[in-house]
Amino acid sequence: MNMDVVKPLLGNGVHYLAEVAKCGAAGVLLSGAVLLVLVMVLPAGAGLTLLAMAGCLVALVFYVLAGHQRGVMRVLANLTDAHGGLLFDQTVGRFIRTAESKRPGSVVQLLGTPGKLAAGFRQFLGDDGSVIPRPLRRLGVHYVDKLDRSFAEAGPSDAVVNGQLREEPLRAWAVQRMAEQVEPEWTIFTLVAAAQGVFAVALWWWATRA
């Protein structure tokens, strides 16, 4: 495997784990606090306590998944910022060159319809995915999904000229666009916390009403 690909992935693996650990630790604190409050306010009864514990454990799993999502986005952001077109070259670039060598003009047709580029890339991974380094395949799916949506909204006008794909303008646009879009967000984490709060209130209301 190309060491230019391996080194960035190894370095960013630490950032991925840090995001997972950060969300997981915050989830433990939040779930622990919610469980403590529920144990204090709920009427005595093993059934209610077990239900509260189960709800907090489920929430903790989703906090970790939120950390996974942030970790993936952090790796994508770091690769995009620090290594320019490397991620494009190793994922979309390989896909374009393989597809165009088999059937010229096929990628232009994919770019013209939202969702088709992402679907074509997934099919490519199933048929010829061995040309992409294994650690980049899952990242590539996230990357191409975002590119597909961005191109459908406002793709570069000079990427396709007279029905012919021009890879360099597409590459330059993709690097700039992805740098703007892949910064990790707290949306999923916040939704999990809100759902956990709603669950806690609903459980307390149901228990005290009964």
Side-chain angles (χ1 to χ4, degrees):
M1 186 186 300
N2 192 333
M3 290 304 296
D4 290 337
V5 177
V6 175
K7 289 179 181 178
L9 287 176
L10 291 177
N12 283 290
V14 176
H15 294 283
Y16 169 82
L17 293 176
E19 292 292 345
V20 174
K22 180 165 58 179
C23 289
V28 169
L29 292 175
L30 289 173
S31 295
V34 169
L35 181 59
L36 180 62
V37 171
L38 286 175
V39 169
M40 293 174 60
V41 301
L42 288 176
L48 292 174
T49 302
L50 289 175
L51 185 57
M53 291 177 62
C56 289
L57 286 175
V58 170
L60 183 57
V61 171
F62 281 100
Y63 283 125
V64 173
L65 290 176
H68 162 72
Q69 188 267 348
R70 280 184 55 83
V72 170
M73 291 300 103
R74 176 67 67 192
V75 172
L76 283 174
N78 289 348
L79 286 174
T80 301
D81 291 340
H83 304 283
L86 173 64
L87 186 58
F88 181 92
D89 293 338
Q90 295 294 331
T91 54
V92 183
R94 289 178 182 266
F95 166 55
I96 289 175
R97 288 187 289 274
T98 301
E100 289 294 309
S101 66
K102 291 182 176 180
R103 196 176 66 178
S106 59
V107 176
V108 173
Q109 296 176 2
L110 297 179
L111 290 174
T113 306
K116 281 199 171 183
L117 180 64
F121 183 76
R122 284 183 170 84
Q123 183 177 352
F124 163 73
L125 287 181
D127 297 337
D128 303 294
S130 59
V131 301
I132 295 180
R134 185 179 296 275
L136 282 178
R137 292 174 197 170
R138 180 168 293 183
L139 286 176
V141 171
H142 290 277
Y143 183 67
V144 176
D145 281 345
K146 284 189 169 291
L147 278 184
D148 194 354
R149 290 193 293 270
S150 297
F151 194 92
E153 294 169 2
S157 59
D158 56 350
V160 179
V161 178
N162 296 325
Q164 299 296 316
L165 177 67
R166 300 178 63 215
E167 187 175 335
E168 281 305 315
L170 179 62
R171 181 181 186 272
W173 170 83
V175 171
Q176 179 181 1
R177 187 69 172 174
M178 290 307 296
E180 300 169 355
Q181 289 199 349
V182 296
E183 284 299 320
E185 298 178 350
W186 288 98
T187 305
I188 295 180
F189 186 93
T190 303
L191 289 175
V192 175
Q196 186 175 24
V198 170
F199 168 79
V201 171
L203 181 61
W204 169 81
W205 176 82
W206 179 79
T208 53
R209 185 182 182 189

